[in-house]
């Protein structure tokens, strides 16, 4: 089992920055794929960024490319999302996700079997 706990969500003005953190604990030895997703009430969960931890390969949703950066600290088992130039449309609940054995990551939520409880990001204009 893997436990994921997000933190860092806040209310900010457009153009500002936030850094989200996700602390992973438990049996993380097979969680090579991790990701950040976001969801607005009534809409589907949307991939923000993914990372393949062994080689640090990353990918981003089109709406956040060049503004957000996903990173992972192996020693501390922490996943981060640096969010810059925030826009009101970035307002959402942000979730950390990890793909355990039998799951293969990727851009869809079904590729992940471990999820955090979410942290709220609100961007005002």
């Amino acid at each position: 089992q893997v436990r994921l706990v997000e933190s860092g969500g806040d209310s900010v003005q457009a153009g500002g920055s936030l850094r989200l953190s996700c602390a992973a604990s438990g049996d993380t030895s097979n969680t090579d794929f991790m990701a950040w997703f976001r969801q607005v009430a009534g809409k589907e969960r949307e991939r923000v960024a993914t990372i393949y931890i062994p080689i640090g390969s990353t990918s981003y949703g089109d709406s956040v490319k060049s503004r957000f950066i996903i990173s992972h600290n192996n020693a501390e088992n922490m996943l981060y999302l640096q969010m810059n130039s925030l826009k009101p449309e970035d307002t959402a609940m942000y979730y950390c996700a990890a793909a355990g054995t039998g799951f293969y990551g990727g851009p869809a939520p079904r590729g992940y079997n471990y999820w955090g409880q979410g942290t709220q990001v609100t961007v005002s204009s």
Side-chain angles (χ1 to χ4, degrees):
Q1 277 291 69
V2 174
R3 182 169 183 243
L4 303 173
V5 179
E6 303 96 335
S7 61
D10 205 345
S11 296
V12 296
Q13 290 198 327
S17 297
L18 278 177
R19 188 194 197 203
L20 304 185
S21 301
C22 172
S25 60
D27 185 10
T28 60
S29 59
N30 294 318
T31 53
D32 289 342
F33 284 98
M34 294 192 73
W36 288 97
F37 284 79
R38 66 187 182 186
Q39 189 169 23
V40 176
K43 294 189 176 182
E44 292 186 356
R45 196 162 288 193
E46 172 193 16
R47 186 272 307 254
V48 176
T50 59
I51 185 168
Y52 180 55
I53 293 168
I55 60 173
S57 175
T58 61
S59 65
Y60 297 88
D62 288 342
S63 62
V64 306
K65 280 180 183 175
S66 77
R67 299 189 298 123
F68 290 12
I69 301 171
I70 187 172
S71 61
H72 184 265
N73 183 313
N74 291 332
E76 297 181 354
N77 248 338
M78 294 290 294
L79 183 73
Y80 300 102
L81 184 69
Q82 178 66 41
M83 306 187 295
N84 301 318
S85 302
L86 282 161
K87 304 175 181 180
E89 51 264 44
D90 294 319
T91 295
M93 185 71 79
Y94 283 71
Y95 296 91
C96 172
T101 302
F103 290 80
Y104 300 98
R110 66 178 179 272
Y112 304 84
N113 58 323
Y114 297 114
W115 294 87
Q117 82 290 348
T119 186
Q120 177 68 36
V121 172
T122 302
V123 184
S124 58
S125 57

